[in-house]
Amino acid sequence: MPELRHNVLTREWVIIATERARRPEDFTKKGKEKKIIPSYVATCPFCPGNEKMTPPETYVVPDTTGWRLRVTPNKFAALSYEGERRRSIHGIRRTITGVGIHEVIVETPDHSKTTALLDDAQVETIVQTYLNRFKFASQDPRVEQVTIFKNHGEAAGTSLEHPHSQMIGTPVITAQLRDRLINALRHFDEFGECIFCRVLDQELKEGARVILETRHFVAFVQYAALTPFSMLIMPRRHMACFAEISDEEAADLASALRRTLAKLYQGLDDPDFNYVVRTAPAEYTGVKYYHWYVSIIPRLTKTAGFELGSGMFINVSLPEESASFLRGIQVA
Ligand SMILES: [Zn+2]
Ligand SMILES: [Zn+2]
């Protein structure tokens, strides 16, 4: 019989379709010809030599021959850098001017090097850049929430092949984050504990969904994963905000992220995926009820009418099987 599971972090129910479940290896891009990606593409705006194709840098990590990583405003920014944040209310209609910060982080000069193929030092540079840009955007009085995310592959929403991630500082707190903050606060009020610490504790005790552990982080498939192989990388130490991370933890996160993505890359043949740093806004630093983490969502199945219409997902994989499969993939 299928099973409904409850996600305590989001309060969402998901149908785990145990009988229709596909085996982990069935999620590989079978039949699709493996594309060879070159390390340089003359027309790519993110390849070295084409810096003029993007707006001027806001942050750069230089190396002897040029740069190792660069950040620029998004040429097709969703929000405007210029202008004041102004809220207006007309009857039941609310509007805010579309100001904020939208940047692109070009993760490496090498066009072909997705995170799974980079070395730990380069991924650490990426994580340190996330921290730098998070702090930068958080200081802007017009910005209420900073979201750092990566789209890899067309199914994840990008047509640009060159490895990059993005940061958007929005002039409001989104309904999704607000919901999660309230849910976590309510749990803290009722039980006197951080719900995320509790989830992590339980995952470590059970072990069935854990993919890998490092000194400071644990990667696991969620008990009530909405989609196949959807997982979290959570810090062991309680921290509400991503900016609270130490240098040692940042280096360790780089390794955990690179190795988790390498397992996906090898196990499922470079699937499309999104990842997001889910954190409380900077001014929530130190609160006891929220706990930041990285969420990785491989795009292996399509969202269909039932999901759109009901908000309830049907997961055609077993989280325990997915985790066991990824645990078994050996990576450096
Ligand atoms: Zn490129
Ligand atoms: Zn916690």
Side-chain angles (χ1 to χ4, degrees):
M1 198 190 293
E3 180 175 79
L4 270 74
R5 291 190 183 182
H6 187 240
N7 185 324
V8 288
L9 303 179
T10 64
R11 297 167 50 82
E12 287 168 294
W13 286 97
V14 56
I15 300 174
I16 306 286
T18 46
E19 279 150 46
R20 285 162 55 193
R22 288 150 63 181
R23 287 172 305 145
E25 47 276 25
D26 292 343
F27 287 99
T28 49
K29 292 189 208 162
K30 251 188 263 143
K32 265 202 183 167
E33 215 172 298
K34 186 137 197 180
K35 208 172 146 198
I36 309 280
I37 300 170
S39 31
Y40 171 78
V41 173
T43 53
C44 170
F46 298 157
C47 271
N50 295 341
E51 290 79 4
K52 288 218 158 58
M53 291 168 77
T54 64
E57 283 148 19
T58 47
Y59 181 80
V60 66
V61 181
D63 77 354
T64 45
T65 54
W67 49 269
R68 236 151 53 85
L69 176 151
R70 61 194 293 267
V71 180
T72 77
N74 191 313
K75 201 172 176 178
F76 309 101
L79 294 164
S80 166
Y81 277 77
E82 310 298 329
E84 300 272 301
R85 180 177 62 172
R86 268 193 322 274
R87 184 187 281 256
S88 45
I89 300 174
H90 304 286
I92 57 164
R93 292 204 180 132
R94 253 166 231 145
T95 316
I96 296 179
T97 47
V99 292
I101 299 177
H102 188 174
E103 290 185 331
V104 175
I105 297 138
V106 182
E107 298 169 0
T108 159
D110 190 325
H111 190 93
S112 67
K113 287 264 186 346
T114 181
T115 320
L117 306 174
L118 291 172
D119 58 31
D120 279 354
Q122 187 66 20
V123 184
E124 189 182 342
T125 302
I126 296 168
V127 171
Q128 285 289 357
T129 302
Y130 288 170
L131 264 174
N132 177 292
R133 303 326 287 161
F134 182 88
K135 289 176 183 166
F136 164 78
S138 297
Q139 282 162 11
D140 190 314
R142 303 169 307 167
V143 168
E144 297 292 333
Q145 179 179 339
V146 180
T147 306
I148 293 164
F149 62 100
K150 179 176 170 80
N151 305 331
H152 173 77
E154 270 177 49
T158 184
S159 48
L160 270 172
E161 219 172 44
H162 197 115
H164 67 286
S165 27
Q166 300 181 60
M167 187 266 294
I168 300 188
T170 47
V172 290
I173 291 189
T174 60
Q176 190 194 70
L177 177 60
R178 184 70 80 195
D179 249 23
R180 288 175 192 199
L181 287 167
I182 290 170
N183 181 41
L185 177 58
R186 191 170 287 145
H187 184 90
F188 188 85
D189 279 347
E190 277 175 41
F191 300 99
E193 64 179 11
C194 162
I195 192 167
F196 301 86
C197 283
R198 177 73 187 275
V199 163
L200 185 58
D201 200 42
Q202 187 142 349
E203 289 301 341
L204 284 169
K205 266 188 202 128
E206 288 177 31
R209 286 167 298 275
V210 173
I211 300 160
L212 64 84
E213 290 184 52
T214 60
R215 183 141 188 247
H216 299 291
F217 290 86
V218 181
F220 59 94
V221 178
Q222 284 191 279
Y223 167 74
L226 298 187
T227 54
F229 290 88
S230 152
M231 48 198 157
L232 309 185
I233 300 179
M234 201 176 269
R236 293 179 194 264
R237 180 165 76 88
H238 177 85
M239 289 177 268
C241 177
F242 172 57
E244 294 177 57
I245 193 173
S246 70
D247 283 348
E248 186 187 316
E249 285 165 334
D252 193 56
L253 172 62
S255 166
L257 182 63
R258 200 262 309 151
R259 284 169 59 207
T260 305
L261 291 173
K263 280 171 178 277
L264 263 188
Y265 182 90
Q266 283 184 34
L268 298 181
D269 200 10
D270 188 19
D272 296 347
F273 66 84
N274 300 104
Y275 71 62
V276 192
V277 179
R278 292 198 184 277
T279 172
E283 62 266 30
Y284 286 66
T285 295
V287 301
K288 290 174 181 160
Y289 58 90
Y290 197 80
H291 192 127
W292 75 270
Y293 56 95
V294 179
S295 163
I296 303 174
I297 307 122
R299 303 300 291 264
L300 303 164
T301 51
K302 286 209 166 76
T303 304
F306 178 67
E307 281 84 358
L308 290 174
S310 67
M312 181 188 251
F313 280 68
I314 303 172
N315 185 343
V316 290
S317 71
L318 289 175
E320 294 73 22
E321 256 179 37
S322 310
S324 152
F325 174 78
L326 289 179
R327 263 200 311 275
I329 308 273
Q330 298 302 318
V331 294

